[in-house]
DNA sequence: GCAATCGATTGATATTCGTCAATTGGATGG
DNA sequence: CCATCCAATTGACGAATATCAATCGATTGC
């Protein structure tokens, strides 16, 4: 990989605390690649050959099969993804594609597994990332099981807003049908969910969302009592 | 803890490969306790004070709030649970209660976090468990998002059967309303789901289930292309 | 043996959500 | 500027699921 990128990547939580020589070993065996939008990075069922780290851009993790496709997670920089498949040497459970032009660091899985045994800091960081990813999935599953569609949207808006410093007005990032799939509903239903949220302090025009009455929206959302981890 | 239990616990995947002295240190600081049925072990939102390892019995992980309660996982022996909360020192995302009389090993979270930094084998085992737990959650979420209720039941029966050596006749373990909650539907709907599975090779009377036509059931279930990890 | 209890089942109905079709509206390109 | 395209929206309808109520059936306790 090119030299210019290294400091940026060395600062990632995953690699930050590693032994310098070990990090050098990992990074020199890895590839930083730029992918165009809408490119499939890997598909579910394949062997986990590379750990992926999204450095720049936007990536969608999704699942196909059983009739319908559904997006599981939107990966924002800077985050590693599919750590679990790499560490266990098991096939991917999800497919991944770029949404925008993206820079991705590809770390050969075998190299990763080799170095992790020798570097405690890397192993610890990996463990931590996995634990957070697990908790993220627990949240998503409870969300899907105990809330109906408009409540899921309400929660999403509250969390999205909280992520960017409790901004009360913001733009949705991707297309709305992507958001619909992430929230486990059809695009039509997402439109209607926005409609019902009008009565609970939310105004929408296009991609722009304004939360005019946070208290009302929160009351409607039945938010999770345990705040998000990150 | 009592001496007689140690060999059994030392054989667990989580502790198996540890340094003997370290393991001794962990186990001597832990408590093996017997709990009666229907006892709450901890509740979501609490600090993760103990790593729990179910040695014997049956434990339910569930989430309350947002209107309805839902069971997230039935823990069977011998498995650790809530590793993620312990390792990250974050509040529990789920509550736990015993379903039957259960023996549980309680490892103080602080002790666990201390020892894990010194024992690579323990850390590696923890990482592996977390990765598998994550993948389990990914499966559960895709199941909920892309399959409807009768298909979820069909899949559950197939996996349940596969777990015990492709037995084609077996008894459901707990009460049916528990199964319903695990599968994300009401008890009434579970009854109806069993009804629709009659046409796809499944006979039910009480807790006894017979899969008479595995091919038909599989065709109906749209099973996951990636086989289960364990 | 019999009543009481409780989970499971069944039926009727309401709600939520998905599907299909038509329309709108903003962006793009000539 | 206008035509085209495509995502988003809206409406009508149907399917899936939840809810409410009644009944069944097995187990428990007397």
């Amino acid at each position: 990989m090119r030299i210019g990128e290294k400091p940026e990547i060395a600062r990632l939580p995953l690699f930050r605390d590693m032994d310098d020589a070990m990090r050098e070993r990992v990074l020199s065996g890895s590839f930083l690649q730029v992918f165009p939008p809408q490119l499939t990075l890997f598909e579910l069922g394949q062997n986990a050959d590379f750990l992926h780290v999204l450095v720049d851009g936007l990536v969608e993790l999704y699942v196909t099969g059983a009739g319908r496709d559904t997006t599981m997670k939107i990966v924002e920089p800077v985050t590693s993804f599919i750590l679990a498949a790499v560490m266990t040497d098991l096939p991917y459970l999800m497919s991944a594609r770029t949404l925008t032009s993206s820079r991705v660091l590809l770390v050969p899985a075998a190299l990763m597994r080799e170095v992790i045994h020798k570097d405690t800091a890397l192993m610890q960081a990996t463990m931590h990332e996995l634990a957070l990813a697990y908790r993220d999935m627990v949240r998503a599953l409870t969300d899907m099981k105990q809330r109906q569609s408009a409540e899921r949207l309400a929660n999403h808006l509250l969390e999205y807003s909280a992520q960017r410093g409790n901004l009360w007005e913001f733009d949705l990032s991707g297309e709305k049908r992507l958001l619909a799939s992430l929230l486990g509903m059809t695009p039509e239903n997402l439109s209607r969910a926005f409609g019902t949220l009008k009565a609970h302090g939310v105004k929408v025009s296009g991609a722009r969302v304004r939360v005019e009455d946070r208290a009302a929206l929160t009351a409607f959302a039945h938010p999770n009592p345990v705040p998000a981890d990150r």
Side-chain angles (χ1 to χ4, degrees), chain A residues 58 74 76 160 164 171-175 178 207:
Chain A
L58 219 50
I74 307 295
E76 296 183 2
Y160 194 87
R164 35 217 88 199
D171 285 326
L172 297 172
S173 54
E175 295 184 345
L178 181 68

Side-chain angles (χ1 to χ4, degrees), chain A residues 3 42 46 68 84 104 131 149 161 218 229:
Chain A
I3 299 292
F42 53 81
Q46 292 179 349
R68 67 196 81 212
V104 179
S149 57
S161 158
T218 305
D229 298 337

Side-chain angles (χ1 to χ4, degrees), chain A residues 108-126:
Chain A
L111 175 61
M112 190 72 189
R113 285 192 292 268
E114 178 206 327
V115 171
I116 208 168
H117 293 326
K118 300 176 188 160
D119 190 295
T120 309
L122 175 61
M123 195 188 282
Q124 199 182 324
T126 301

Side-chain angles (χ1 to χ4, degrees), chain A residues 73-110:
Chain A
K73 179 81 184 168
I74 307 295
V75 182
E76 296 183 2
V78 180
T79 327
S80 62
F81 50 102
I82 51 131
L83 253 178
V86 170
M87 295 325 307
T88 55
D89 200 8
L90 288 165
Y92 296 129
L93 290 180
M94 302 182 278
S95 304
R97 73 177 142 231
T98 56
L99 291 173
T100 66
S101 175
S102 300
R103 282 191 304 155
V104 179
L105 179 71
L106 299 171
V107 186

Side-chain angles (χ1 to χ4, degrees), chain A residues 31-95:
Chain A
F31 317 92
L32 186 67
Q33 241 180 295
V34 177
F35 296 104
Q38 299 300 331
L39 188 86
T40 299
L41 300 177
F42 53 81
E43 293 195 339
L44 90 179
Q46 292 179 349
N47 282 342
D49 293 328
F50 293 97
L51 171 68
H52 291 57
V53 181
L54 180 63
V55 178
D56 202 72
L58 219 50
V59 166
E60 175 190 8
L61 301 181
Y62 62 99
V63 177
T64 57
R68 67 196 81 212
D69 299 356
T70 188
T71 116
M72 299 292 284
K73 179 81 184 168
I74 307 295
V75 182
E76 296 183 2
V78 180
T79 327
S80 62
F81 50 102
I82 51 131
L83 253 178
V86 170
M87 295 325 307
T88 55
D89 200 8
L90 288 165
Y92 296 129
L93 290 180
M94 302 182 278
S95 304

Side-chain angles (χ1 to χ4, degrees), chain A residues 68-71 143-144 147-156 176-194 196-197:
Chain A
R68 67 196 81 212
D69 299 356
T70 188
T71 116
D143 195 44
M144 195 58 50
R147 281 188 261 267
Q148 47 198 36
S149 57
E151 295 173 324
R152 291 202 296 275
L153 175 59
N155 264 287
H156 179 82
K176 284 193 182 164
R177 57 178 175 182
L178 181 68
L179 177 59
S181 181
L182 181 66
L183 294 177
M185 63 184 93
T186 58
E188 294 94 327
N189 226 318
L190 178 64
S191 277
R192 288 171 186 125
F194 272 119
T196 81
L197 290 194

